Each structure stands twice: as structure tokens, then as C-alpha cells.
Amino acid sequence: MHYTRDNMAGLLRSHDINPTHQRIEIAHALFSRQEHLSADQVMAIVNTRHSETSKATVYNTLKLFLEKGLVREVIVDPSKVFFDPNTSPHHHLYEVDSGKLSDIDAEHVQISGLPPLPPGMVTEGIDLIVRVRRKA
Amino acid sequence: MHYTRDNMAGLLRSHDINPTHQRIEIAHALFSRQEHLSADQVMAIVNTRHSETSKATVYNTLKLFLEKGLVREVIVDPSKVFFDPNTSPHHHLYEVDSGKLSDIDAEHVQISGLPPLPPGMVTEGIDLIVRVRRKA
DNA sequence: ACGGCGATCTGGACTTTGTCTAATATCCGG
DNA sequence: CCGGATATTAGACAAAGTCCAGATCGCCGT
């Protein structure tokens, strides 16, 4: 299955999101690349030709995608948030010097021995980030 | 062992940090509380009476502490970095609504099945963050 | 006590990421 | 084609953090 602009409309609709031009462009930017992008990067991609989509819309749209479960937020860098089109359970590998972020399949990773949650709380997610650095 | 200002000087020296007034105050703020503080919070604490320590110094000092391994950086909130005086291996529990951040002892937590690192890379740290939310 | 010097600190300008708002544009059902 | 709801926009704004040139500190040798 390829991520064409046409498929994006269906994807958005299936997540209860009204597919507008801008939203399709932004979804396409994320899903056709299957990469972790920051809001800045999304904006740059979407506006390569002429400026077409405003900053506010990019931020609004990414937040909407997040709420609707279309993308996931990855917080590894203090200076910017990344958006991840892969919402299946997985972890992340972060190369500190280059800023490169990649997925770690959760399939074979086991986490055990976590203490019980505080009462009245539910888990929203478990983020496992392996921070690596080029050997000296 | 209590974290008095006097003890701070020794602590700093043992980490190869020249103990100045400002550095002692900042270390004291972190270690006497044993809590996760943001740069803002540190600044507020240190400057309760009169303004004594500049923003630049707070940031410089926290970065210095980080480099020297005196504190650890916790990146859970996209809008600010927390500094953690507890450098022993442990994980974090983050209450999304309240912003409260607490420690999870690493002793009983087991993580297995992580894939091998890319060649030429060394692990700088593994961050495990359990994000929780008040039950609806 | 004094001068000097490297290390440290400072205010303030600046950058970057992200939010907000009020006005405008678009879409859709009738 | 009209009206209302929904979406988009430019630009002002806010907050966290960086940067720099000048002031200050603490300490050493004399």
C-alpha cells in the first residue's frame, strides 16, 4: 500500500478527521516518508514550492492528528517535538550527536517489574528511549 | 547525610567543579529537595530573597552539572527540561495532567530483548518513561 | 595590602518553538 | 444561492534557552 494523496483522504476520514487540502498535504508529508518529523520540517516540506500552509495550521493539524491517534509524539530532544506516523507499539533509538531518531520494534523487547500505578491513574503510554553516541 | 551548603562545596569539588557561591546555591536547591526541577524553578528558588543569580548563570551552571555528571536531564515535557539530582539508574513516572514527575527505582525493572546498537555507537543512557493520566 | 589574571557572573539582546486571536475563506445542506 | 459551522491565515505574543561583551570575583605572588 502506497501513501498517495488520494489514500490520505480515506485515512483521515477513518480517523474521524475532515480531509482538507492542508491536512492531506501534511498527512502525506508524514506518511509517504515514514519518518519522524518536527513541526518545522513538516512546514518546510509542505511549503517547498510556494508558501501554501501557515504555521498555525501546521501546528493545529499536528495537534489534531495527535488527538485522533493518527500520529504519535516523540519527546527526545529538549528543543523540538517529533511526530511519528508509526503508531504501533515501538521504542526509539536516538543518536545524540546527529539528532537521528529511529524505531525499535517492540516485538522482542520485554519490560518487566514495573511497580503498580498510583491509584486512579491509567497508563497513557510507555516510552523507552535508547540514547546513543558515537564512540570516542 | 544532609545536604547542607557546606557539604555542597565538597560535592562540587569531588565532581571537579569549582565551588562558587552561585553553584553552591544551585546545587543546594536541587540536592536539599531531591526533586526534579526545571531551570525556571531553580532560578525562582535561588532568587527568593533578592535577585542574586542571573538567568545565564543558572543555565550555564545546570549545563556544567550535567557535563560533570552531577545531575541528570529528564526530557518528558516538550516545553521544559527537568534536572534530576538522582544520578543512580532509575526510571520516571510522569503524570501528564499535573506535570508531576517521580522516580521509579530501576532495581526491579528488567528490560530485555533490545536489538544490538549500530556499529561504532555506545549507549549514553536508557530512558524509560511511564506516562500516566487520571482515570476518566 | 596591592596588582594582576584567569575564571566566573551578569544584563540584555536575540533566537526558536510554539500559542493565540480576530478576521477571512471554504464547505455543505437546504 | 444563503447561512452557519468549520478551517485557515497573518501576525502579535509568550516562554525557554543561547550568546556576548563587559564587569567582578577570588586568589596568587610580592
Side-chain angles (χ1 to χ4, degrees):
Chain A
M1 143 80 112
H2 278 237
Y3 294 101
T4 65
R5 279 175 181 74
D6 287 355
N7 295 334
M8 288 302 105
L11 177 65
L12 293 181
R13 260 187 290 265
S14 76
H15 282 259
D16 202 22
I17 298 169
N18 204 340
T20 64
H21 291 304
Q22 290 86 341
R23 289 172 182 174
I24 287 172
E25 280 307 309
I26 291 171
H28 183 254
L30 279 161
F31 285 91
S32 68
R33 283 176 185 67
Q34 286 288 96
E35 263 176 31
H36 308 84
L37 299 177
S38 65
D40 271 29
Q41 292 175 305
V42 170
M43 189 148 49
I45 291 168
V46 169
N47 291 337
T48 29
R49 318 181 145 270
H50 344 69
S51 190
E52 290 153 4
T53 303
S54 73
K55 184 166 60 150
T57 297
V58 170
Y59 278 97
N60 288 343
T61 301
L62 289 171
K63 195 193 283 184
L64 178 68
F65 285 4
L66 198 58
E67 281 163 9
K68 299 296 189 179
L70 191 62
V71 301
R72 184 169 145 179
E73 205 179 22
V74 186
I75 304 173
V76 285
D77 184 303
S79 75
K80 60 179 71 173
V81 172
F82 287 96
F83 294 87
D84 187 347
N86 177 359
T87 53
S88 70
H90 67 279
H91 307 299
H92 291 102
L93 183 86
Y94 187 58
E95 299 182 20
V96 175
D97 353 75
S98 69
K100 205 164 144 282
L101 183 62
S102 49
D103 283 356
I104 297 176
D105 200 320
E107 203 173 341
H108 301 103
V109 180
Q110 277 246 349
I111 301 171
S112 61
L114 285 176
L117 296 188
M121 293 283 174
V122 285
T123 301
E124 176 151 305
I126 295 185
D127 295 359
L128 178 62
I129 297 153
V130 180
R131 258 165 237 280
V132 301
R133 186 169 37 79
R134 192 159 295 287
K135 200 179 307 188
Chain B
M1 143 79 114
H2 279 239
Y3 294 101
T4 64
R5 280 175 180 75
D6 287 353
N7 295 335
M8 288 303 105
L11 178 64
L12 294 180
R13 259 186 289 264
S14 77
H15 282 260
D16 202 19
I17 298 169
N18 204 340
T20 65
H21 290 306
Q22 289 88 339
R23 289 171 182 175
I24 288 172
E25 280 308 308
I26 292 172
H28 184 252
L30 280 161
F31 284 91
S32 69
R33 282 176 187 67
Q34 287 290 95
E35 263 175 31
H36 309 83
L37 300 177
S38 65
D40 271 29
Q41 293 176 304
V42 169
M43 189 147 49
I45 291 169
V46 167
N47 291 337
T48 29
R49 318 182 147 269
H50 342 71
S51 188
E52 290 153 4
T53 302
S54 73
K55 184 165 59 147
T57 298
V58 171
Y59 279 97
N60 288 342
T61 301
L62 289 171
K63 194 193 284 184
L64 179 68
F65 285 4
L66 198 58
E67 282 163 8
K68 299 295 189 179
L70 192 62
V71 301
R72 186 171 144 175
E73 205 178 19
V74 186
I75 304 173
V76 283
D77 184 302
S79 75
K80 60 178 74 174
V81 172
F82 287 97
F83 294 87
D84 187 346
N86 177 356
T87 53
S88 71
H90 67 280
H91 306 299
H92 290 103
L93 183 85
Y94 187 58
E95 300 183 19
V96 174
D97 353 76
S98 69
K100 205 164 144 286
L101 183 62
S102 50
D103 283 356
I104 296 176
D105 201 320
E107 202 173 342
H108 301 102
V109 180
Q110 278 247 349
I111 301 171
S112 60
L114 285 176
L117 296 189
M121 293 283 175
V122 285
T123 302
E124 175 152 306
I126 295 184
D127 295 358
L128 177 62
I129 296 152
V130 180
R131 257 166 241 280
V132 300
R133 185 170 36 80
R134 192 158 295 285
K135 200 179 307 186

